[in-house]
mmCIF file of all heavy atoms in Angstrom:
data_model
loop_
_atom_site.group_PDB
_atom_site.id
_atom_site.type_symbol
_atom_site.label_atom_id
_atom_site.label_comp_id
_atom_site.label_asym_id
_atom_site.label_seq_id
_atom_site.Cartn_x
_atom_site.Cartn_y
_atom_site.Cartn_z
ATOM 1 N N GLY B 145 -29.335 24.660 86.986
ATOM 2 C CA GLY B 145 -30.218 23.499 86.833
ATOM 3 C C GLY B 145 -29.434 22.212 86.613
ATOM 4 O O GLY B 145 -29.835 21.140 87.068
ATOM 5 N N TYR B 146 -28.307 22.333 85.916
ATOM 6 C CA TYR B 146 -27.455 21.167 85.685
ATOM 7 C C TYR B 146 -26.938 20.605 87.007
ATOM 8 O O TYR B 146 -27.006 19.390 87.259
ATOM 9 C CB TYR B 146 -26.312 21.569 84.769
ATOM 10 C CG TYR B 146 -25.246 20.521 84.579
ATOM 11 C CD1 TYR B 146 -25.413 19.484 83.666
ATOM 12 C CD2 TYR B 146 -24.063 20.564 85.323
ATOM 13 C CE1 TYR B 146 -24.442 18.521 83.493
ATOM 14 C CE2 TYR B 146 -23.088 19.603 85.158
ATOM 15 C CZ TYR B 146 -23.271 18.584 84.248
ATOM 16 O OH TYR B 146 -22.300 17.622 84.082
ATOM 17 N N GLU B 147 -26.404 21.490 87.860
ATOM 18 C CA GLU B 147 -25.869 21.033 89.143
ATOM 19 C C GLU B 147 -26.976 20.487 90.042
ATOM 20 O O GLU B 147 -26.785 19.487 90.749
ATOM 21 C CB GLU B 147 -25.153 22.192 89.839
ATOM 22 C CG GLU B 147 -23.884 22.660 89.132
ATOM 23 C CD GLU B 147 -22.805 21.590 89.122
ATOM 24 O OE1 GLU B 147 -22.855 20.689 89.988
ATOM 25 O OE2 GLU B 147 -21.926 21.647 88.252
ATOM 26 N N LYS B 148 -28.166 21.121 89.994
ATOM 27 C CA LYS B 148 -29.277 20.644 90.817
ATOM 28 C C LYS B 148 -29.720 19.257 90.388
ATOM 29 O O LYS B 148 -29.945 18.361 91.217
ATOM 30 C CB LYS B 148 -30.436 21.634 90.706
ATOM 31 C CG LYS B 148 -31.627 21.283 91.573
ATOM 32 C CD LYS B 148 -32.712 22.330 91.428
ATOM 33 C CE LYS B 148 -33.913 21.958 92.283
ATOM 34 N NZ LYS B 148 -35.014 22.949 92.145
ATOM 35 N N GLN B 149 -29.864 19.052 89.083
ATOM 36 C CA GLN B 149 -30.254 17.741 88.574
ATOM 37 C C GLN B 149 -29.184 16.691 88.862
ATOM 38 O O GLN B 149 -29.482 15.537 89.145
ATOM 39 C CB GLN B 149 -30.520 17.835 87.081
ATOM 40 C CG GLN B 149 -31.053 16.529 86.470
ATOM 41 C CD GLN B 149 -31.323 16.656 84.992
ATOM 42 O OE1 GLN B 149 -31.053 17.700 84.401
ATOM 43 N NE2 GLN B 149 -31.842 15.609 84.385
ATOM 44 N N ARG B 150 -27.929 17.124 88.824
ATOM 45 C CA ARG B 150 -26.843 16.189 89.117
ATOM 46 C C ARG B 150 -26.890 15.724 90.559
ATOM 47 O O ARG B 150 -26.650 14.549 90.850
ATOM 48 C CB ARG B 150 -25.517 16.875 88.817
ATOM 49 C CG ARG B 150 -24.306 15.982 88.956
ATOM 50 C CD ARG B 150 -23.055 16.719 88.527
ATOM 51 N NE ARG B 150 -21.881 15.880 88.614
ATOM 52 C CZ ARG B 150 -20.654 16.265 88.285
ATOM 53 N NH1 ARG B 150 -20.473 17.509 87.831
ATOM 54 N NH2 ARG B 150 -19.632 15.449 88.387
ATOM 55 N N GLU B 151 -27.216 16.647 91.466
ATOM 56 C CA GLU B 151 -27.327 16.256 92.879
ATOM 57 C C GLU B 151 -28.535 15.358 93.116
ATOM 58 O O GLU B 151 -28.474 14.420 93.928
ATOM 59 C CB GLU B 151 -27.432 17.519 93.733
ATOM 60 C CG GLU B 151 -26.159 18.354 93.747
ATOM 61 C CD GLU B 151 -26.333 19.634 94.541
ATOM 62 O OE1 GLU B 151 -27.460 19.847 95.050
ATOM 63 O OE2 GLU B 151 -25.362 20.413 94.650
ATOM 64 N N GLU B 152 -29.656 15.629 92.414
ATOM 65 C CA GLU B 152 -30.856 14.819 92.615
ATOM 66 C C GLU B 152 -30.683 13.402 92.068
ATOM 67 O O GLU B 152 -31.129 12.436 92.688
ATOM 68 C CB GLU B 152 -32.044 15.492 91.929
ATOM 69 C CG GLU B 152 -32.470 16.803 92.584
ATOM 70 C CD GLU B 152 -33.585 17.483 91.814
ATOM 71 O OE1 GLU B 152 -33.922 16.960 90.711
ATOM 72 O OE2 GLU B 152 -34.097 18.511 92.282
ATOM 73 N N CYS B 153 -30.039 13.276 90.919
ATOM 74 C CA CYS B 153 -29.895 11.950 90.298
ATOM 75 C C CYS B 153 -28.778 11.126 90.925
ATOM 76 O O CYS B 153 -28.828 9.891 90.903
ATOM 77 C CB CYS B 153 -29.646 12.115 88.797
ATOM 78 S SG CYS B 153 -31.024 12.852 87.907
ATOM 79 N N GLY B 154 -27.762 11.780 91.434
ATOM 80 C CA GLY B 154 -26.652 11.047 92.034
ATOM 81 C C GLY B 154 -25.867 10.266 91.006
ATOM 82 O O GLY B 154 -25.463 10.800 89.979
ATOM 83 N N GLU B 155 -25.670 8.981 91.282
ATOM 84 C CA GLU B 155 -24.894 8.142 90.366
ATOM 85 C C GLU B 155 -25.633 7.885 89.058
ATOM 86 O O GLU B 155 -25.021 7.583 88.043
ATOM 87 C CB GLU B 155 -24.561 6.807 91.034
ATOM 88 C CG GLU B 155 -23.644 6.934 92.249
ATOM 89 C CD GLU B 155 -23.333 5.588 92.864
ATOM 90 O OE1 GLU B 155 -23.906 4.578 92.382
ATOM 91 O OE2 GLU B 155 -22.518 5.550 93.813
ATOM 92 N N ASP B 156 -26.980 8.003 89.086
ATOM 93 C CA ASP B 156 -27.754 7.772 87.863
ATOM 94 C C ASP B 156 -27.689 8.942 86.894
ATOM 95 O O ASP B 156 -28.321 8.888 85.832
ATOM 96 C CB ASP B 156 -29.220 7.503 88.229
ATOM 97 C CG ASP B 156 -29.382 6.169 88.952
ATOM 98 O OD1 ASP B 156 -28.521 5.284 88.735
ATOM 99 O OD2 ASP B 156 -30.354 6.010 89.717
ATOM 100 N N PHE B 157 -26.975 10.011 87.267
ATOM 101 C CA PHE B 157 -26.866 11.152 86.354
ATOM 102 C C PHE B 157 -26.160 10.739 85.068
ATOM 103 O O PHE B 157 -26.474 11.234 83.997
ATOM 104 C CB PHE B 157 -26.107 12.283 87.050
ATOM 105 C CG PHE B 157 -26.039 13.537 86.249
ATOM 106 C CD1 PHE B 157 -27.155 14.353 86.111
ATOM 107 C CD2 PHE B 157 -24.874 13.916 85.596
ATOM 108 C CE1 PHE B 157 -27.113 15.503 85.357
ATOM 109 C CE2 PHE B 157 -24.818 15.066 84.844
ATOM 110 C CZ PHE B 157 -25.937 15.872 84.722
ATOM 111 N N HIS B 158 -25.186 9.816 85.186
ATOM 112 C CA HIS B 158 -24.538 9.206 84.022
ATOM 113 C C HIS B 158 -25.035 7.764 83.957
ATOM 114 O O HIS B 158 -24.414 6.861 84.535
ATOM 115 C CB HIS B 158 -23.014 9.263 84.142
ATOM 116 C CG HIS B 158 -22.487 10.661 84.223
ATOM 117 N ND1 HIS B 158 -22.458 11.501 83.147
ATOM 118 C CD2 HIS B 158 -21.972 11.366 85.268
ATOM 119 C CE1 HIS B 158 -21.946 12.664 83.495
ATOM 120 N NE2 HIS B 158 -21.646 12.614 84.776
ATOM 121 N N PRO B 159 -26.171 7.522 83.286
ATOM 122 C CA PRO B 159 -26.813 6.211 83.363
ATOM 123 C C PRO B 159 -25.997 5.113 82.700
ATOM 124 O O PRO B 159 -25.217 5.352 81.778
ATOM 125 C CB PRO B 159 -28.145 6.436 82.624
ATOM 126 C CG PRO B 159 -27.873 7.576 81.702
ATOM 127 C CD PRO B 159 -26.892 8.460 82.409
ATOM 128 N N THR B 160 -26.180 3.941 83.193
ATOM 129 C CA THR B 160 -25.576 2.736 82.627
ATOM 130 C C THR B 160 -26.702 1.799 82.193
ATOM 131 O O THR B 160 -27.882 2.172 82.189
ATOM 132 C CB THR B 160 -24.672 2.054 83.664
ATOM 133 O OG1 THR B 160 -25.467 1.664 84.801
ATOM 134 C CG2 THR B 160 -23.581 3.010 84.135
ATOM 135 N N SER B 161 -26.357 0.577 81.846
ATOM 136 C CA SER B 161 -27.368 -0.390 81.423
ATOM 137 C C SER B 161 -28.273 -0.805 82.579
ATOM 138 O O SER B 161 -29.366 -1.337 82.363
ATOM 139 C CB SER B 161 -26.683 -1.622 80.823
ATOM 140 O OG SER B 161 -25.798 -2.204 81.778
ATOM 141 N N ASN B 162 -27.858 -0.564 83.816
ATOM 142 C CA ASN B 162 -28.648 -0.952 84.985
ATOM 143 C C ASN B 162 -29.440 0.217 85.566
ATOM 144 O O ASN B 162 -30.097 0.058 86.599
ATOM 145 C CB ASN B 162 -27.731 -1.523 86.067
ATOM 146 C CG ASN B 162 -27.006 -2.778 85.599
ATOM 147 O OD1 ASN B 162 -27.577 -3.593 84.866
ATOM 148 N ND2 ASN B 162 -25.746 -2.941 86.006
ATOM 149 N N SER B 163 -29.356 1.403 84.961
ATOM 150 C CA SER B 163 -30.062 2.575 85.496
ATOM 151 C C SER B 163 -31.534 2.534 85.084
ATOM 152 O O SER B 163 -31.881 2.107 83.981
ATOM 153 C CB SER B 163 -29.415 3.859 84.977
ATOM 154 O OG SER B 163 -28.057 3.912 85.370
ATOM 155 N N LEU B 164 -32.407 2.993 85.990
ATOM 156 C CA LEU B 164 -33.854 2.988 85.758
ATOM 157 C C LEU B 164 -34.414 4.390 85.967
ATOM 158 O O LEU B 164 -35.242 4.641 86.826
ATOM 159 C CB LEU B 164 -34.549 1.996 86.713
ATOM 160 C CG LEU B 164 -34.135 0.533 86.587
ATOM 161 C CD1 LEU B 164 -34.804 -0.305 87.659
ATOM 162 C CD2 LEU B 164 -34.502 -0.003 85.198
ATOM 163 N N ILE B 165 -33.935 5.330 85.160
ATOM 164 C CA ILE B 165 -34.398 6.719 85.307
ATOM 165 C C ILE B 165 -35.112 7.200 84.050
ATOM 166 O O ILE B 165 -35.429 8.374 83.931
ATOM 167 C CB ILE B 165 -33.216 7.653 85.617
ATOM 168 C CG1 ILE B 165 -32.206 7.641 84.460
ATOM 169 C CG2 ILE B 165 -32.561 7.305 86.926
ATOM 170 C CD1 ILE B 165 -31.121 8.691 84.608
ATOM 171 N N HIS B 166 -35.386 6.295 83.115
ATOM 172 C CA HIS B 166 -36.036 6.701 81.868
ATOM 173 C C HIS B 166 -37.469 7.149 82.147
ATOM 174 O O HIS B 166 -38.238 6.447 82.816
ATOM 175 C CB HIS B 166 -36.035 5.553 80.864
ATOM 176 C CG HIS B 166 -36.722 5.891 79.576
ATOM 177 N ND1 HIS B 166 -36.185 6.770 78.673
ATOM 178 C CD2 HIS B 166 -37.919 5.492 79.061
ATOM 179 C CE1 HIS B 166 -37.007 6.897 77.638
ATOM 180 N NE2 HIS B 166 -38.062 6.118 77.861
ATOM 181 N N GLY B 167 -37.843 8.325 81.675
ATOM 182 C CA GLY B 167 -39.199 8.835 81.834
ATOM 183 C C GLY B 167 -39.458 9.529 83.142
ATOM 184 O O GLY B 167 -40.592 9.940 83.409
ATOM 185 N N THR B 168 -38.438 9.690 83.972
ATOM 186 C CA THR B 168 -38.648 10.345 85.271
ATOM 187 C C THR B 168 -38.358 11.838 85.229
ATOM 188 O O THR B 168 -38.670 12.541 86.187
ATOM 189 C CB THR B 168 -37.741 9.697 86.333
ATOM 190 O OG1 THR B 168 -36.364 9.831 85.923
ATOM 191 C CG2 THR B 168 -38.062 8.211 86.478
ATOM 192 N N HIS B 169 -37.777 12.314 84.139
ATOM 193 C CA HIS B 169 -37.449 13.738 84.068
ATOM 194 C C HIS B 169 -38.693 14.561 83.769
ATOM 195 O O HIS B 169 -39.481 14.233 82.873
ATOM 196 C CB HIS B 169 -36.400 13.981 82.985
ATOM 197 C CG HIS B 169 -36.125 15.429 82.730
ATOM 198 N ND1 HIS B 169 -35.503 16.227 83.648
ATOM 199 C CD2 HIS B 169 -36.427 16.224 81.656
ATOM 200 C CE1 HIS B 169 -35.402 17.454 83.163
ATOM 201 N NE2 HIS B 169 -35.958 17.476 81.952
ATOM 202 N N VAL B 170 -38.900 15.624 84.530
ATOM 203 C CA VAL B 170 -40.035 16.531 84.338
ATOM 204 C C VAL B 170 -39.475 17.892 83.951
ATOM 205 O O VAL B 170 -38.714 18.495 84.717
ATOM 206 C CB VAL B 170 -40.882 16.645 85.614
ATOM 207 C CG1 VAL B 170 -42.042 17.621 85.385
ATOM 208 C CG2 VAL B 170 -41.398 15.277 86.030
ATOM 209 N N PRO B 171 -39.782 18.407 82.767
ATOM 210 C CA PRO B 171 -39.238 19.703 82.353
ATOM 211 C C PRO B 171 -39.785 20.834 83.216
ATOM 212 O O PRO B 171 -40.905 20.770 83.728
ATOM 213 C CB PRO B 171 -39.699 19.832 80.901
ATOM 214 C CG PRO B 171 -40.903 18.967 80.801
ATOM 215 C CD PRO B 171 -40.682 17.826 81.748
ATOM 216 N N THR B 172 -39.017 21.876 83.340
ATOM 217 C CA THR B 172 -39.420 23.033 84.127
ATOM 218 C C THR B 172 -40.405 23.890 83.334
ATOM 219 O O THR B 172 -40.512 23.774 82.114
ATOM 220 C CB THR B 172 -38.199 23.874 84.497
ATOM 221 O OG1 THR B 172 -37.559 24.337 83.294
ATOM 222 C CG2 THR B 172 -37.194 23.054 85.306
ATOM 223 N N ARG B 173 -41.112 24.739 84.082
ATOM 224 C CA ARG B 173 -42.067 25.630 83.428
ATOM 225 C C ARG B 173 -41.365 26.611 82.496
ATOM 226 O O ARG B 173 -41.863 26.917 81.404
ATOM 227 C CB ARG B 173 -42.830 26.409 84.501
ATOM 228 C CG ARG B 173 -43.951 27.282 83.951
ATOM 229 C CD ARG B 173 -45.026 26.443 83.341
ATOM 230 N NE ARG B 173 -46.069 27.280 82.727
ATOM 231 C CZ ARG B 173 -47.108 26.790 82.054
ATOM 232 N NH1 ARG B 173 -47.226 25.476 81.885
ATOM 233 N NH2 ARG B 173 -48.019 27.597 81.547
ATOM 234 N N GLU B 174 -40.175 27.079 82.907
ATOM 235 C CA GLU B 174 -39.417 28.007 82.058
ATOM 236 C C GLU B 174 -38.982 27.330 80.766
ATOM 237 O O GLU B 174 -39.002 27.940 79.684
ATOM 238 C CB GLU B 174 -38.193 28.539 82.804
ATOM 239 C CG GLU B 174 -38.520 29.449 83.982
ATOM 240 C CD GLU B 174 -38.940 28.666 85.213
ATOM 241 O OE1 GLU B 174 -38.876 27.404 85.167
ATOM 242 O OE2 GLU B 174 -39.342 29.292 86.207
ATOM 243 N N GLY B 175 -38.580 26.056 80.851
ATOM 244 C CA GLY B 175 -38.177 25.336 79.660
ATOM 245 C C GLY B 175 -39.324 25.146 78.678
ATOM 246 O O GLY B 175 -39.160 25.281 77.468
ATOM 247 N N ILE B 176 -40.530 24.841 79.222
ATOM 248 C CA ILE B 176 -41.702 24.666 78.358
ATOM 249 C C ILE B 176 -42.062 25.982 77.676
ATOM 250 O O ILE B 176 -42.362 26.024 76.471
ATOM 251 C CB ILE B 176 -42.887 24.129 79.185
ATOM 252 C CG1 ILE B 176 -42.558 22.720 79.718
ATOM 253 C CG2 ILE B 176 -44.156 24.099 78.344
ATOM 254 C CD1 ILE B 176 -43.608 22.163 80.635
ATOM 255 N N ASP B 177 -42.015 27.075 78.454
ATOM 256 C CA ASP B 177 -42.321 28.388 77.866
ATOM 257 C C ASP B 177 -41.321 28.755 76.783
ATOM 258 O O ASP B 177 -41.686 29.333 75.750
ATOM 259 C CB ASP B 177 -42.327 29.455 78.969
ATOM 260 C CG ASP B 177 -43.463 29.250 79.950
ATOM 261 O OD1 ASP B 177 -44.441 28.558 79.603
ATOM 262 O OD2 ASP B 177 -43.369 29.765 81.096
ATOM 263 N N ARG B 178 -40.065 28.420 77.010
ATOM 264 C CA ARG B 178 -39.037 28.722 76.021
ATOM 265 C C ARG B 178 -39.270 27.931 74.740
ATOM 266 O O ARG B 178 -39.111 28.464 73.623
ATOM 267 C CB ARG B 178 -37.665 28.405 76.619
ATOM 268 C CG ARG B 178 -36.509 29.049 75.909
ATOM 269 C CD ARG B 178 -35.254 29.068 76.747
ATOM 270 N NE ARG B 178 -34.898 27.754 77.249
ATOM 271 C CZ ARG B 178 -34.894 27.431 78.546
ATOM 272 N NH1 ARG B 178 -35.204 28.332 79.447
ATOM 273 N NH2 ARG B 178 -34.557 26.211 78.939
ATOM 274 N N MET B 179 -39.671 26.667 74.877
ATOM 275 C CA MET B 179 -39.940 25.850 73.705
ATOM 276 C C MET B 179 -41.160 26.366 72.944
ATOM 277 O O MET B 179 -41.158 26.462 71.705
ATOM 278 C CB MET B 179 -40.171 24.394 74.119
ATOM 279 C CG MET B 179 -40.386 23.449 72.938
ATOM 280 S SD MET B 179 -40.986 21.831 73.434
ATOM 281 C CE MET B 179 -42.633 22.246 74.003
ATOM 282 N N VAL B 180 -42.226 26.746 73.674
ATOM 283 C CA VAL B 180 -43.435 27.264 73.033
ATOM 284 C C VAL B 180 -43.127 28.559 72.291
ATOM 285 O O VAL B 180 -43.583 28.775 71.154
ATOM 286 C CB VAL B 180 -44.535 27.491 74.089
ATOM 287 C CG1 VAL B 180 -45.716 28.234 73.471
ATOM 288 C CG2 VAL B 180 -44.993 26.162 74.662
ATOM 289 N N GLU B 181 -42.322 29.424 72.898
ATOM 290 C CA GLU B 181 -41.962 30.684 72.253
ATOM 291 C C GLU B 181 -41.175 30.441 70.969
ATOM 292 O O GLU B 181 -41.406 31.103 69.938
ATOM 293 C CB GLU B 181 -41.147 31.537 73.220
ATOM 294 C CG GLU B 181 -40.760 32.898 72.666
ATOM 295 C CD GLU B 181 -39.927 33.693 73.651
ATOM 296 O OE1 GLU B 181 -39.687 33.184 74.775
ATOM 297 O OE2 GLU B 181 -39.508 34.811 73.293
ATOM 298 N N ASP B 182 -40.257 29.470 71.000
ATOM 299 C CA ASP B 182 -39.469 29.176 69.812
ATOM 300 C C ASP B 182 -40.332 28.576 68.708
ATOM 301 O O ASP B 182 -40.167 28.913 67.525
ATOM 302 C CB ASP B 182 -38.334 28.227 70.187
ATOM 303 C CG ASP B 182 -37.413 27.959 69.010
ATOM 304 O OD1 ASP B 182 -36.633 28.866 68.666
ATOM 305 O OD2 ASP B 182 -37.479 26.856 68.437
ATOM 306 N N VAL B 183 -41.266 27.697 69.068
ATOM 307 C CA VAL B 183 -42.159 27.106 68.067
ATOM 308 C C VAL B 183 -43.035 28.177 67.433
ATOM 309 O O VAL B 183 -43.278 28.175 66.213
ATOM 310 C CB VAL B 183 -43.015 25.993 68.704
ATOM 311 C CG1 VAL B 183 -44.091 25.510 67.729
ATOM 312 C CG2 VAL B 183 -42.136 24.812 69.107
ATOM 313 N N GLU B 184 -43.524 29.110 68.237
ATOM 314 C CA GLU B 184 -44.339 30.201 67.692
ATOM 315 C C GLU B 184 -43.532 31.065 66.729
ATOM 316 O O GLU B 184 -44.050 31.513 65.695
ATOM 317 C CB GLU B 184 -44.892 31.048 68.833
ATOM 318 C CG GLU B 184 -45.968 30.334 69.653
ATOM 319 C CD GLU B 184 -46.448 31.167 70.814
ATOM 320 O OE1 GLU B 184 -45.803 32.216 71.082
ATOM 321 O OE2 GLU B 184 -47.444 30.781 71.458
ATOM 322 N N LYS B 185 -42.265 31.298 67.052
ATOM 323 C CA LYS B 185 -41.412 32.074 66.140
ATOM 324 C C LYS B 185 -41.218 31.332 64.829
ATOM 325 O O LYS B 185 -41.229 31.941 63.746
ATOM 326 C CB LYS B 185 -40.063 32.340 66.793
ATOM 327 C CG LYS B 185 -40.100 33.382 67.897
ATOM 328 C CD LYS B 185 -38.712 33.621 68.452
ATOM 329 C CE LYS B 185 -38.735 34.664 69.554
ATOM 330 N NZ LYS B 185 -37.379 34.896 70.129
ATOM 331 N N GLN B 186 -41.053 29.994 64.902
ATOM 332 C CA GLN B 186 -40.887 29.210 63.675
ATOM 333 C C GLN B 186 -42.141 29.254 62.817
ATOM 334 O O GLN B 186 -42.071 29.390 61.587
ATOM 335 C CB GLN B 186 -40.552 27.762 64.033
ATOM 336 C CG GLN B 186 -39.201 27.571 64.693
ATOM 337 C CD GLN B 186 -38.895 26.118 64.979
ATOM 338 O OE1 GLN B 186 -39.274 25.239 64.222
ATOM 339 N NE2 GLN B 186 -38.217 25.863 66.084
#
Side-chain angles (χ1 to χ4, degrees):
Y146 172 82
E147 293 295 338
K148 183 179 179 181
Q149 185 179 3
R150 185 175 182 179
E151 292 177 359
E152 292 176 354
C153 295
E155 295 181 356
D156 292 334
F157 185 74
H158 299 287
T160 61
S161 58
N162 298 323
S163 301
L164 299 175
I165 62 172
H166 178 71
T168 59
H169 173 68
V170 179
T172 61
R173 185 65 184 176
E174 292 79 5
I176 295 175
D177 294 340
R178 198 162 53 245
M179 183 192 68
V180 171
E181 182 181 358
D182 184 74
V183 172
E184 290 177 350
K185 286 182 180 179
Q186 293 182 35

